Amino acid sequence: MYVLGIETSCDETGVAIYHSEHGLCSHLLYSQVEMHSEYGGVVPELASRDHIRKLVPLIKQCLQESQLASIDINGIAYTAGPGLMGALLVGAATARSLAWAWQVPAIAVHHMEGHLLAPMLEENPPEFPFVALLISGGHTLLVQVEGIGRYQLLGESLDDAAGEAFDKTAKMLGLGYPGGPRLSALAEQGTPQIKFPRPMTDRPGLDFSFSGLKTFTMNTFNASGKTEQDKADIAAAFQQAVAETLSIKCKRALQQTGLKRLVIAGGVSANKQIRASLTQMVAKENAQLYFPRLEFCTDNGAMIAYAGCQRLMAGQQQGLEIYARPRWPISELN
């Protein structure tokens, strides 16, 4: 089964074709970062318009690179949520229209399920069951995964997600957009001399909270000399605090579930210090760590094509409606 995957949840247009037996055939990604950097963040209306401009040409190019024609496609998967409503509607309307024209089934895919299953695209994918840490700009989740579609939410962020905290802290330090990668680059030039809090690690449970850490960062910065070295040291201390907080919570999740496999995914999983901290933790716990390659950490069409393929092969599909949900808890997936 050849499945075309379409991802348009935010500011990246992703298209991919996945085969149920031969794996990933091709994948393309167009990022709008340069356009949105002028405004210091994603402008939803501009994001939607750019998806309209780039999506169909990317689909044509993806088919050409796979040496396939529309008649070869057996199903279409598209991101239906969560995300920006306008951006989601572009992908959903295009996917649903192509599915009707090509007379193939379409399936709406949960964006975070796509991230969760992204490590399955690697040569040595994790076996079920496992604990997954999903960290992105809008979400920080700990999920127990028994199989595809069998997810138990263990913990989530009660306020700012980890990626959101990275971006807001970067904005405080005057680093511009995209904030997360710029803050990480600056942190490499500093030393974590100031002890930042590890929020919600002194109490039981697996939920997260990063708003207080953001406030602590702001107060620390305002009390500093605001030199470039001060910024670098604060960035290093902030990043270390986030990495260690995530590690502490993941360790608890492994111990609570009794599982020995940890998957990390989502855009923030590309952070070097977070990966290093989690690698050290799982080694001490005699566990295994899995994560997707860097190009599949951020939003992409490959993860949507894979997740959609699994659900289509299980017999699921959408009707003729154009389905999009800007808010969609992963616990509601069947």
Side-chain angles (χ1 to χ4, degrees), residues 83-99:
L84 301 175
M85 188 59 176
L88 291 171
L89 283 172
V90 174
T94 302
R96 183 61 266 175
S97 299
L98 288 176

Side-chain angles (χ1 to χ4, degrees), residues 154-213:
L154 302 174
E156 60 185 333
S157 180
L158 303 179
D159 40 56
D160 290 354
E164 185 179 1
F166 264 94
D167 289 339
K168 289 181 177 179
T169 300
K171 190 172 183 178
M172 275 184 226
L173 300 178
L175 302 182
Y177 176 85
R182 295 189 181 189
L183 187 143
S184 297
L186 180 62
E188 294 181 1
Q189 304 171 31
T191 55
Q193 302 177 22
I194 306 169
K195 181 66 175 179
F196 275 47
R198 275 56 174 162
M200 295 188 70
T201 58
D202 58 349
R203 66 185 74 177
L206 296 173
D207 287 330
F208 302 91
S209 172
F210 293 105
S211 63
L213 184 60

Side-chain angles (χ1 to χ4, degrees), residues 79-156:
T79 300
L84 301 175
M85 188 59 176
L88 291 171
L89 283 172
V90 174
T94 302
R96 183 61 266 175
S97 299
L98 288 176
W100 182 83
W102 295 351
Q103 298 184 5
V104 297
I107 185 72
V109 174
H110 193 290
H111 180 71
M112 297 311 292
E113 181 179 40
H115 277 303
L116 189 153
L117 298 177
M120 297 298 183
L121 294 164
E122 304 303 319
E123 291 184 2
N124 297 305
E127 295 181 2
F128 298 114
F130 56 77
V131 171
L133 171 67
L134 305 180
I135 38 178
S136 67
H139 302 84
T140 302
L141 306 173
L142 272 169
V143 183
Q144 182 173 338
V145 181
E146 296 294 333
I148 295 176
R150 297 164 59 195
Y151 312 127
Q152 179 184 350
L153 183 64
L154 302 174
E156 60 185 333

